[in-house]
Amino acid sequence: QVNLVESGGGSVQAGGSLRLSCAASGYFYSSYCWGWFRQTPGKEREGVAAISSTSRWTYYDDSVKGRFTISQDNNKKTLYLQMNSLKPEDTAMYYCAADRFCAGGTKLVFYGGRTYWGQGTQVTVSS
């Protein structure tokens, strides 16, 4: 069982920055992939960014490339998402997720085991 707890959301003006954190506890796969999804009411959850446990592979949705940076501290079992130059369209509930593998093509997908999800943290960007 893996428990994921997000923090760092909040309200900012357009152009501002926020740093999301996701702390993992419990048994974790020896090799894994984890990342961030976001969702707004009435829309499908979309993958934002992901990183492999070795940091050799990263994924960014086109909408956040150059503005968001994903990173991790393996010792602390914590995942981060640095969000700069925020736009109103970044407003969403952001969720941390983890699974054995992930892949990015037209969209980010997690697979290979059970996908674990955090409870989400709200990000609101005002114009």
Side-chain angles (χ1 to χ4, degrees), residues 3 5 33 37 43 46 84 91 111 116 122:
N3 189 39
V5 179
C33 185
F37 287 73
K43 291 191 176 182
E46 62 175 5
N84 299 328
T91 295
Y111 65 98
Y116 293 94
Q122 177 68 36

Side-chain angles (χ1 to χ4, degrees), residues 40-109:
T40 54
K43 291 191 176 182
E44 187 177 326
R45 192 171 294 188
E46 62 175 5
V48 175
I51 188 169
S52 64
S53 55
T54 61
S55 297
R56 291 175 184 165
W57 180 88
T58 57
Y59 166 91
Y60 292 97
D61 184 77
D62 286 344
S63 64
V64 305
K65 282 180 181 176
R67 300 188 299 120
F68 291 11
T69 302
I70 192 168
S71 62
Q72 61 188 331
D73 185 327
N74 293 104
N75 290 330
K76 294 182 179 179
K77 287 187 179 178
T78 302
L79 180 72
Y80 304 100
L81 186 67
Q82 179 66 43
M83 305 187 295
N84 299 328
S85 303
L86 282 162
K87 304 175 181 180
E89 51 263 44
D90 294 318
T91 295
M93 184 71 78
Y94 283 71
Y95 297 91
C96 176
D99 203 328
R100 289 195 65 197
F101 306 105
C102 47
T106 56
K107 65 177 183 178
L108 177 64
V109 292

